[in-house]
Amino acid sequence: MTYGFITTTLVIFLLQSVFLQYSWSWMIADLSVYVKYLLWILIPYFVYQRKELISKVRYDRLFIIISVLFTLGLLIPYLLGLGYQTYDNSDAGYKGYFFANNDTSFAFIVSITFTVQALIDSIKEQTHRRSLFLGGLFAGNFICLVLVGTKTGIFYGLVTLFYLLWRLVKGIKRQALMQQLFIWLFSFFGIFWLFIQGFPLMIQAVEGTYLRLVYFYHLFDGDLVRLISSSRSDFLIGGMSAFLEDEWRHFTMIFGQGFEYRLANFGRLGLIEMDFFDTLFGQGFLGTSLLLIMGAYFLYLAFQPSKRSVYSLALVVVFFYSFFAGHVLYSALSSTFLGLICGGIILTEKE
């Protein structure tokens, strides 16, 4: 299946190059896009080929190491007063020296997902030092999501925080009375701090993001769809028209318009920043069908009875993020994260 996916994708690229008369610069630009796109397939295939060897190590620790590195990579410049804001020409958010806003937010969303699951498992196993370390890492992940200041990142961080508090209070069975008392007190004071001090501090941290949202709310005349989608709804309508009305539509409906072709001919409408639609317009119905088949395959593997894990949850979160916010399938960083998650799903297979 992997060979078929990769081969068909490359055939689509070659047919686009010939039929749409790509220049060398267009071919090189599109080739770089396809290389990043194929990462999420090549990584789990590599894991599958070396499954016995990789199964001997703690694969899930890779995500904790990545979580630590990303957290330090954002917090250290922030504490030193260095780096850049998330959005250009505004005080909204902070991204340190990371390049892309959505990629950075996505990295912390994946990181906090694995961190919170590792923390819950650690508390269950009563490994106190590890629990303390993971608790600090979780706090760092949450602070970083607030600092980056994207709508999706802040919302997901809050959902994860409330999930953790709920699991601490109700979901974890404990045998030691003192540990149970500590968890209850920690949860109580955590919730108390969140309402008394946490929200004011968070509001202060995201004040620039809030002002930016208010500005665009008034600019869009209160249109919440445009606000929540960051105008992607407008780009989608315009991009769909450009796709359906293209002079080569008999070819492009099946094989797509490529990526540089769309940017050169349609400008900002050539990039929707919603991965499903960018795939539809860029690779046509054939490429989109391949994507849906591979996505369904990994979802099937992830949600087989008795094989559900943190990778299953992470895969659903990634697909939702990819559909609504984009910047997953066509970003090297995010596509690598997706590939690692799919690799973890492969490792849960016993046969």
Side-chain angles (χ1 to χ4, degrees):
M1 184 181 290
T2 302
Y3 283 125
F5 183 92
I6 295 173
T7 302
T8 306
T9 301
L10 293 178
V11 168
I12 290 174
F13 164 66
L14 292 175
L15 288 175
Q16 290 171 346
S17 303
V18 173
F19 194 87
L20 299 178
Q21 299 179 353
Y22 279 15
S23 64
W24 281 109
S25 61
W26 282 15
M27 289 188 67
I28 294 172
D30 268 22
L31 183 60
S32 67
V33 173
Y34 279 106
V35 168
K36 290 183 285 187
Y37 173 70
L38 291 174
L39 283 174
W40 80 278
I41 294 298
L42 291 172
I43 292 173
Y45 181 68
F46 175 85
V47 172
Y48 174 77
Q49 291 288 77
R50 292 156 180 80
K51 187 175 180 180
E52 292 185 5
L53 177 62
I54 298 176
S55 296
K56 297 178 182 179
V57 301
R58 288 290 302 273
Y59 185 84
D60 56 323
R61 289 184 178 178
L62 175 62
F63 290 92
I64 301 301
I65 294 172
I66 293 173
S67 179
V68 171
L69 294 176
F70 267 92
T71 301
L72 293 177
L74 188 74
L75 290 182
I76 290 176
Y78 178 75
L79 294 175
L80 294 176
L82 305 173
Y84 303 96
Q85 301 303 127
T86 299
Y87 300 99
D88 294 334
N89 303 317
S90 74
D91 295 327
Y94 171 79
K95 64 179 180 180
Y97 288 107
F98 291 110
F99 177 70
N101 312 334
N102 287 282
D103 287 13
T104 306
S105 179
F106 174 81
F108 285 112
I109 285 174
V110 174
S111 296
I112 201 172
T113 301
F114 283 89
T115 300
V116 73
Q117 184 59 50
L119 175 57
I120 292 171
D121 292 340
S122 179
I123 294 173
K124 284 182 178 180
E125 297 167 1
Q126 300 186 20
T127 52
H128 304 301
R129 291 183 179 178
R130 179 172 171 78
S131 298
L132 183 61
F133 164 73
L134 290 171
L137 180 58
F138 175 84
N141 290 161
F142 180 79
I143 291 171
C144 288
L145 282 172
V146 172
L147 289 176
V148 174
T150 62
K151 299 185 294 292
T152 307
I154 293 173
F155 174 77
Y156 189 78
L158 287 172
V159 170
T160 309
L161 176 61
F162 282 114
Y163 170 74
L164 174 62
L165 293 175
W166 176 75
R167 288 297 303 270
L168 289 176
V169 173
K170 296 187 62 176
I172 301 177
K173 296 181 179 179
R174 306 169 216 56
Q175 297 178 354
L177 179 61
M178 291 303 296
Q179 184 188 27
Q180 185 175 2
L181 180 62
F182 171 78
I183 294 296
W184 275 87
L185 289 175
F186 174 82
S187 301
F188 173 78
F189 284 111
I191 296 173
F192 179 78
W193 179 88
L194 183 64
F195 280 98
I196 302 301
Q197 294 290 336
F199 280 129
L201 289 175
M202 188 171 66
I203 291 173
Q204 181 180 357
V206 299
E207 182 179 4
T209 302
Y210 170 76
L211 293 175
R212 188 173 186 272
L213 290 175
V214 171
Y215 168 77
F216 280 106
Y217 176 80
H218 292 295
L219 182 65
F220 297 154
D221 295 325
D223 189 334
L224 292 178
V225 174
R226 292 181 66 190
L227 178 66
I228 294 174
S229 67
S230 300
S231 296
R232 289 183 179 88
S233 57
D234 291 346
F235 300 145
L236 176 58
I237 295 172
M240 181 67 75
S241 298
F243 179 66
L244 296 176
E245 297 172 4
D246 188 83
E247 60 177 325
W248 305 109
R249 58 183 173 274
H250 300 295
F251 171 84
T252 58
M253 289 283 286
I254 300 174
F255 299 104
Q257 298 171 323
F259 300 94
E260 198 65 22
Y261 174 90
R262 288 183 55 80
L263 291 174
N265 286 279
F266 311 127
R268 182 61 186 83
L269 297 179
L271 179 63
I272 311 303
E273 296 184 349
M274 298 174 72
D275 287 339
F276 173 82
F277 294 103
D278 282 325
T279 302
L280 174 62
F281 301 152
Q283 300 184 51
F285 287 107
L286 179 58
T288 305
S289 299
L290 289 174
L291 173 63
L292 292 176
I293 291 171
M294 290 303 297
Y297 171 71
F298 280 109
L299 284 171
Y300 167 75
L301 293 182
F303 285 94
Q304 290 185 78
S306 75
K307 294 183 180 179
R308 296 169 187 170
S309 64
V310 64
Y311 298 106
S312 308
L313 171 63
L315 185 65
V316 172
V317 170
V318 169
F319 280 161
F320 266 98
Y321 191 94
S322 174
F323 184 87
F324 291 103
H327 301 282
V328 174
L329 298 178
Y330 300 102
S331 161
L333 173 63
S334 301
S335 185
T336 298
F337 267 107
L338 176 56
L340 291 173
I341 292 169
C342 292
I345 293 171
I346 293 293
L347 290 177
T348 63
E349 289 291 290
K350 301 302 181 184
E351 299 180 0

